[in-house]
Amino acid sequence: MIKTNLKNFYIFCGRSGSGKDKVINTLCKKYGFRKVVSYTTRPRRQEEEKVNTHIFVNQQGFDSIRGQLIAYTFFNGFEYGGTQEQVEHSDFYTLDVNGIKYFKEHYTGTKPFKIIYLDVEPEICKVRMFNRGDPPMQVSLRVANDIKAFKEAPDLADVIIPNDFFDSCVKDVYDYIMKCENETDGDNT
């Protein structure tokens, strides 16, 4: 496997429509960072046909790696997870609050990790989800769910970065990563 570029591992957290994937994909493309592509039992969406968003497995396939998972969450009837090997060879991962808690309890690797919370007002998330083509009913359900589901997220985060303006958010995230990478003390906070 290819060695990661960064000494720390960065977990991104934020509501649906907060721009997590877009920020991560931009940083990966621009700087060569690597992201964890998680396993899921969720069926592949049509727009994911040519994009490597997840490793899609059936329930039996997911159950076969369950003992290796150091990140796990159950959302909307489907399971999602990542292995320690994936983390050790990656720089970024997107997790929800439950996934972060699971990660903190199960990760036994040597990479220090930092949690970045992308903060966006629910109304802005709603507009972004509409703009990307999410069905209106799904948007309303996700926004209502996320207000509760991400309530603890700021308390779990090492840094909170607003994503009201995409370019400045990417710059702020990159600057934070470089600050962490240049610190001599890599302990988790």
Side-chain angles (χ1 to χ4, degrees):
M1 272 228 158
I2 301 170
K3 187 181 180 320
T4 180
N5 290 336
L6 302 174
K7 70 179 181 183
N8 295 298
F9 184 69
Y10 297 89
I11 298 170
F12 287 74
C13 183
R15 295 180 186 98
S16 300
S18 64
K20 302 174 299 290
D21 289 330
K22 191 172 179 182
V23 169
I24 288 172
N25 291 338
T26 299
L27 291 168
C28 288
K29 186 176 181 181
K30 189 170 184 177
Y31 300 105
F33 300 135
R34 293 172 191 86
K35 67 179 181 177
V36 171
V37 178
S38 63
Y39 291 88
T40 184
T41 58
R42 175 177 65 74
R44 185 184 303 265
R45 295 181 189 130
Q46 185 176 356
E47 67 270 12
E48 294 171 322
E49 287 298 322
K50 296 180 182 175
V51 181
N52 194 16
T53 59
H54 295 286
I55 300 168
F56 296 94
V57 295
N58 61 20
Q59 191 62 56
Q60 183 179 2
F62 197 90
D63 290 343
S64 73
I65 61 157
R66 191 175 301 279
Q68 301 169 44
L69 297 179
I70 50 86
Y72 174 84
T73 195
F74 183 83
F75 178 74
N76 208 20
F78 301 107
E79 295 184 277
Y80 297 80
T83 66
Q84 185 144 316
E85 181 180 0
Q86 288 178 301
V87 169
E88 294 300 320
H89 298 288
S90 299
D91 302 303
F92 303 146
Y93 200 3
T94 300
L95 292 173
D96 65 6
V97 170
N98 291 331
I100 291 170
K101 290 177 180 178
Y102 193 95
F103 182 89
K104 285 183 168 188
E105 291 175 16
H106 293 86
Y107 179 65
T108 59
T110 58
K111 284 179 96 168
F113 60 90
K114 303 287 184 183
I115 300 168
I116 300 170
Y117 179 64
L118 295 185
D119 190 25
V120 179
E121 290 297 317
E123 285 304 312
I124 294 172
C125 291
K126 193 180 217 180
V127 169
R128 289 178 179 172
M129 286 188 278
F130 281 132
N131 288 342
R132 71 182 184 198
D134 292 4
M137 181 57 100
Q138 183 184 35
V139 170
S140 296
L141 291 172
R142 297 281 304 255
V143 169
N145 175 70
D146 286 0
I147 289 171
K148 294 178 206 160
F150 286 88
K151 188 173 185 162
E152 294 177 66
D155 296 331
L156 295 172
D158 293 297
V159 66
I160 299 170
I161 298 177
N163 188 9
D164 298 328
F165 302 100
F166 181 73
D167 291 338
S168 61
C169 176
V170 170
K171 181 187 180 317
D172 291 346
V173 170
Y174 180 77
D175 289 349
Y176 173 74
I177 290 169
M178 289 302 100
K179 176 181 156 279
C180 293
E181 291 300 301
N182 291 321
E183 290 175 352
T184 54
D185 179 19
D187 292 339
N188 296 319
T189 54

